[in-house]
Amino acid sequence: MHFKKPQIVFSDKLPDLKLFKGGKGGSAALLIHDRILLNRVPNFGDWAKKFPASYAVEAGEELKDLASYSKHLEKILTLANQFSPRELSIVVAGGGSVGDFGGFTASILKRGVNLIQIPTTWLAAIDSAHGGKTALNVAGVKNQIGTYYPASQVFLVRAALFAQTSAQAQDAAGELAKIALIEGGSKWLKLATASEQEGRLLWRFLPDAIAAKYRIVQKDPFEKKNIRQFLNLGHTLGHILEAYHGFSHGSAVAQGLLFSVEWSRKKKLLKASSHIKILNLLNQTFQFTPLTEIKGFSKIPKKDFMELLLSDKKRHSTSEISFVFLKDYGKPLLKNTPALEILAEARAQGWVET
Amino acid sequence: MHFKKPQIVFSDKLPDLKLFKGGKGGSAALLIHDRILLNRVPNFGDWAKKFPASYAVEAGEELKDLASYSKHLEKILTLANQFSPRELSIVVAGGGSVGDFGGFTASILKRGVNLIQIPTTWLAAIDSAHGGKTALNVAGVKNQIGTYYPASQVFLVRAALFAQTSAQAQDAAGELAKIALIEGGSKWLKLATASEQEGRLLWRFLPDAIAAKYRIVQKDPFEKKNIRQFLNLGHTLGHILEAYHGFSHGSAVAQGLLFSVEWSRKKKLLKASSHIKILNLLNQTFQFTPLTEIKGFSKIPKKDFMELLLSDKKRHSTSEISFVFLKDYGKPLLKNTPALEILAEARAQGWVET
């Protein structure tokens, strides 16, 4: 199988339906969107009305629950059946959970229909809308099922992204920092001198961040070659904070990055000068607060930590995890690491009860 | 994307687990099987016990219902989570419904794990276990969702196939006849002189039938080029008999073939000499009974017929269906055909109430 990079379109406004690829452009397009966009994004309601069919959902992990998926799909099928499967496009407007839900649906509906993504959160615009991974949750465990199904087009819409709060923009910094650490190069260090507001900063770095992600994805789209897994930097530990403490994805990944950098230095994978450069980026530019300095943070009980760690999809065997270290700025390194070793380090760094 | 043809293995007995490809062969294999095989196939229980994990299901369309899928998947995940996703193989032993269910599950579990099919009905051995199509049903409508996900290996096991009743073997004749009509050539005509019992006949023709199917699938694995759809010969009308009258799949397809041949002749697509040759094959060799001569058959009400016809996945547009005709023995022809024209012909051939 090969991976076809989507057409990436940057635009100021919600796109004209004529721009959609597929059998009949917008005239056979089914919009699946986060209901909140009707209130948040100017003119979203008028734009949604141009679609011959649309389906509004509540964003969040519950949307991705397989147990309730059947009811959604029955309704979506009723809407979809007015079109020929060959002509149908599913257009997904929303953040990560809506993108996963809509992308998975497009990938299995009639064994796959044309998919167009319009990420409306910074996190989705930088990361999750790209690379073709879709997923649902099973019995409360995240992303247990899913597909590789790249969109044919991804629209980055300034008006939608700038309608987010500044906290949401801040949250995207976790994924932006991840891409910077994986890709390296001087351009990310310029972030340090950027005095713009967060949204404008993200919008300016968005084309670079997206291009960097596709460079990695295209080398290993189906995660067979231990390359795409570099994108998991900060995620193994981050997911645990997300699940146990309800951290937002971006802030959890930020903590995961700090953890991985610290551990890489301890293991002497990372030399001192690179360590300082990276810490500057994470602490000064991105202003990530160390986990143990976050108000109200309580250490995770060992049992919960291990359970979450071992449910990770990146598990290499019964007791080992593919963990992403850094051997330099721009040089990630994948190592199969015993879960118990990760536990010991998590205790050392104050994540887990001793 | 491209399609990788599975390794096809013919064997007398249930295969040694060491023959399984994948990370760790049989030692990370999860068996999903039709429960009935424990009673039907000699030594099946002992063989199943060799797997580190197994999950028994009741075959049938209910197994494929998306509404109950979540419960199955929770249990399957509990079993699967003892293995690394990269090493896990899902081995599916059963007929069409179990193959669809297990194949779909393998295709989405952790975004896809190694799949091995062991079809245990003649219908699955000839047709459904090959070509990578998987599917579930939504709200009672067949195959509304699914994936293209070829197995890495397909085992054809004589002991399992011969454990079926002669009626089940007879039922497979529908798909065998379909392949004969699509592929053409003299070898299928030799079926006419075969005096063997049904099972032995099917076993002898199985390698040819499977090879013929892959020749077509490999030209158009994802149904983008109007070639793979040839395999739909007899199915558009057949599915309606299956859904409305509860015909078995094979006998429904047999009727669909008779319908298509008759219509192709009426439309003068098929010349008289070919028509006679084909009718000989269908009526003499395969001994298909014409629909209107089947005891207890009642014509289908127009409303039900149209509803089922328009829910067909092969629908080309709102009102047209891609219908497979024959322009000669071995020469299928795809034509976008108005649903109302199909209705008129179904009335003329005594399928639908006038």
Side-chain angles (χ1 to χ4, degrees), chain B residues 14 27 64 83 90 103 144 151 186 192 195 238 247 263 278 314 322 325 331 344:
Chain B
L14 290 160
S27 66
K64 291 176 59 182
F83 312 110
I90 286 190
Q144 292 298 291
S186 58
S195 61
F247 274 46
W263 199 8
I278 291 169
K314 297 298 175 293
S322 292
F325 294 92
K331 288 201 176 145

Side-chain angles (χ1 to χ4, degrees), chain A residues 42 248 343:
Chain A
S248 67
L343 173 67

